[in-house]
């Protein structure tokens, strides 16, 4: 099995300024865009090739590839926003590149260099420029994937690797309330496991409790630590903060929690204590919120634990709303970027 994919390299042709999309109807689902970027790992040179832009489409994989058989893979997620003047900004893409490198070490994979990662992300966004929603009406969600390809029957690291970046326009994720259900039987991560990296294998194992929680009307599950079942960790793809008095706390990410880039940005904008958060703390918290690239910052309306439901402060006066405004202001170029968090790519 040679290197893949077989798609020909294509030139990006000038297209209409904006794709024909009803931007205000977008949720968080895939809208296929024009192009994707692919780099293969060259075993002889021990490095990834430069990124190649190809038509967005299906890829060829050997049935015995490492990603399909043993889940040797990682993903990332970041967004490109359009400014009022039509320019395009990325939010801290270096953080995603670093997190992918840490994940690649954990998963025994080679990783693209910082430069290659940023180059592939920029190329993908520029090639799909007409899919970046107008200012204030959503963003282009960028999904980098790193995976073991090539043939691999035995349980061992793959013989070949591919780094691929695709993108999809998404809406401003603010519809509906966030009502969490504490999951006390299924654990997302264990000490020594891969919970601290965005390994593809961390997600489908909790589809069962998540599906059950959704069937009961909840929006997401809140996981507890696997060792004691007494401390909150995070949601299915978001970090959690609780506010009591003047103190904001968030569980320490020490291997079983994914260190979020939005979470880290929030600490910078607001004083936050990183510590173990016992489940009892959610009963008398005044405000709770979640952070993640998809939702940015979102207030939690309620948390239910063993049948007991606790409700929290919502609305314009919450810290969550203020943080959301501050962060999206920087991301969309409305607020001055004093911390140098954005990268202009046009
Ligand atoms: C991606 C992810 C987050 C949020 O990370 P961001 O970098 O803020 O998007 C939180 N928890 C889990 C489990 C995740 O996969």
């Amino acid at each position: 099995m040679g290197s893949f994919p077989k798609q020909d390299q294509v030139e990006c042709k000038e297209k209409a300024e904006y794709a024909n999309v009803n931007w205000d109807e977008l949720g968080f689902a895939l809208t296929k865009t024009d192009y994707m970027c692919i780099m293969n790992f060259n075993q002889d040179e021990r490095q990834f090739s430069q990124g190649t832009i190809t038509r967005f489409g299906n890829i060829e994989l050997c049935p015995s590839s490492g990603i399909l058989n043993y889940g040797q893979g990682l993903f990332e997620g970041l967004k490109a926003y359009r400014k009022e003047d039509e320019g395009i900004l990325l939010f801290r893409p270096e953080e995603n590149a670093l997190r992918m490198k840490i994940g690649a070490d954990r998963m025994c994979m080679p990783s693209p260099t910082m430069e290659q990662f940023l180059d592939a992300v920029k190329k993908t966004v520029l090639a799909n420029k007409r899919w970046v929603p107008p200012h204030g009406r959503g963003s282009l969600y960028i999904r980098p994937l790193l995976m073991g390809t090539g043939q691999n029957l035995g349980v061992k690291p793959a013989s070949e690797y591919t780094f691929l970046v695709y993108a999809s326009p998404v809406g401003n994720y603010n519809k509906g309330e966030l009502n969490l259900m504490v999951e006390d039987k299924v654990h997302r991560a264990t000490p020594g496991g891969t919970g601290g990296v965005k390994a593809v294998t961390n997600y489908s194992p909790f589809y069962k409790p998540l599906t059950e929680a959704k069937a009961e009307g909840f929006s997401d599950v809140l996981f507890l630590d696997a060792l004691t079942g007494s401390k909150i960790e995070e949601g299915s793809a978001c970090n959690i903060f609780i506010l009591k008095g003047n103190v904001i706390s968030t569980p320490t990410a020490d291997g079983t929690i994914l260190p979020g880039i939005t979470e880290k940005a929030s600490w910078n904008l607001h004083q936050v204590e990183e510590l173990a958060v016992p489940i009892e703390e959610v009963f008398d918290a005044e405000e709770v919120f979640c952070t993640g690239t998809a939702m940015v910052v979102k207030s939690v309306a309620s948390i239910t634990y063993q049948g007991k439901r606790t409700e929290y402060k919502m609305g314009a006066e919450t810290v969550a709303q203020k943080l959301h405004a501050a962060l999206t202001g920087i991301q969309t170029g409305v607020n001055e970027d004093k911390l140098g968090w954005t990268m202009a790519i046009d």
Side-chain angles (χ1 to χ4, degrees):
M1 181 100 185
S3 69
F4 92 102
K6 303 275 187 275
Q7 289 97 329
D8 295 326
Q9 181 164 359
V10 286
E11 288 295 315
C12 305
K13 300 208 176 64
E14 274 306 317
K15 287 265 173 61
E17 212 170 339
Y18 280 103
N20 185 14
V21 173
N22 190 348
W23 307 106
D24 304 315
E25 296 287 300
L26 287 174
F28 197 83
L30 180 74
T31 299
K32 290 179 182 173
T33 53
D34 302 321
Y35 302 104
M36 59 188 186
C37 183
I38 297 187
M39 324 181 163
N40 291 306
F41 185 68
N42 185 315
Q43 293 289 359
D44 300 326
E45 293 173 24
R46 308 299 302 161
Q47 62 182 15
F48 279 87
S49 60
Q50 279 312 308
T52 304
I53 290 286
T54 65
R55 277 261 158 215
F56 178 88
N58 294 349
I59 57 172
E60 246 177 53
L61 282 172
C62 178
S64 81
S65 63
I67 180 74
L68 288 180
N69 291 254
Y70 305 118
Q72 195 187 13
L74 287 168
F75 70 95
E76 266 304 328
L78 68 160
K79 283 174 169 177
Y81 289 90
R82 214 181 270 268
K83 296 194 293 177
E84 276 163 314
D85 69 2
E86 302 277 310
I88 297 171
L89 294 178
L90 290 173
F91 184 70
R92 311 190 81 181
E94 306 91 341
E95 295 283 321
N96 297 89
L98 285 172
R99 189 166 65 186
M100 179 163 267
K101 182 170 181 5
I102 293 166
D105 287 342
R106 177 66 182 83
M107 301 295 285
C108 269
M109 295 192 282
S111 59
T113 63
M114 167 77 69
E115 204 187 4
Q116 288 176 319
F117 183 101
L118 296 178
D119 181 58
V121 166
K122 283 186 212 170
K123 276 186 176 150
T124 307
V125 175
L126 289 176
N128 293 303
K129 199 169 175 180
R130 69 194 189 104
W131 298 94
V132 183
H135 177 77
R137 293 168 76 188
S139 55
L140 185 74
Y141 182 79
I142 305 150
R143 172 55 63 87
L145 291 174
L146 180 62
M147 54 198 162
T149 47
Q151 53 192 359
N152 202 63
L153 196 55
V155 180
K156 61 170 194 281
S159 54
E160 292 172 20
Y161 294 89
T162 296
F163 177 59
L164 185 157
V165 183
Y166 69 92
S168 169
V170 295
N172 293 327
Y173 183 107
N174 49 18
K175 294 169 201 127
E177 280 187 354
L178 205 45
N179 292 292
L180 308 183
M181 216 268 295
V182 179
E183 173 52 51
D184 58 2
K185 290 180 191 70
V186 173
H187 295 289
R188 195 191 80 89
T190 50
T194 56
V197 300
K198 275 178 120 67
V200 298
T201 44
N202 289 344
Y203 300 85
S204 55
F206 63 64
Y207 285 180
K208 194 172 158 65
L210 181 63
T211 305
E212 287 165 3
K214 286 192 172 170
E216 289 175 41
F218 294 100
S219 15
D220 199 2
V221 286
L222 175 57
F223 291 107
L224 298 174
D225 75 295
L227 272 192
T228 68
S230 68
K231 292 170 279 183
I232 60 168
E233 293 208 314
E234 61 177 322
S236 60
C238 59
N239 297 108
I240 190 161
F241 290 74
I242 70 166
L243 210 137
K244 210 157 48 170
N246 280 325
V247 183
I248 306 181
S249 42
T250 191
T252 317
D254 59 1
T256 55
I257 296 175
L258 196 284
I261 294 164
T262 326
E263 178 192 37
K264 195 168 156 188
S266 304
W267 306 337
N268 269 293
L269 297 179
H270 234 280
Q271 174 114 20
V272 172
E273 293 191 19
E274 229 197 331
L275 33 79
V277 182
I279 178 70
E280 288 75 26
E281 301 241 338
V282 308
F283 301 139
D284 56 1
E286 288 143 29
E287 188 188 326
V288 178
F289 58 90
C290 286
T291 62
T293 296
M295 64 177 67
V296 189
V297 182
K298 191 169 163 69
S299 291
V300 171
S302 74
I303 297 182
T304 301
Y305 177 56
Q306 297 180 341
K308 179 178 156 138
R309 181 182 164 108
T310 311
E311 293 183 350
Y312 306 101
K313 186 175 167 185
M314 300 283 288
E317 290 310 304
T318 54
V319 170
Q321 275 296 313
K322 288 172 198 157
L323 262 177
H324 185 275
L327 266 177
T328 53
I330 296 171
Q331 289 168 333
T332 57
V334 171
N335 296 359
E336 192 194 342
D337 175 20
K338 294 186 187 123
L339 296 154
W341 279 348
T342 56
M343 183 181 279
I345 56 162
D346 42 329

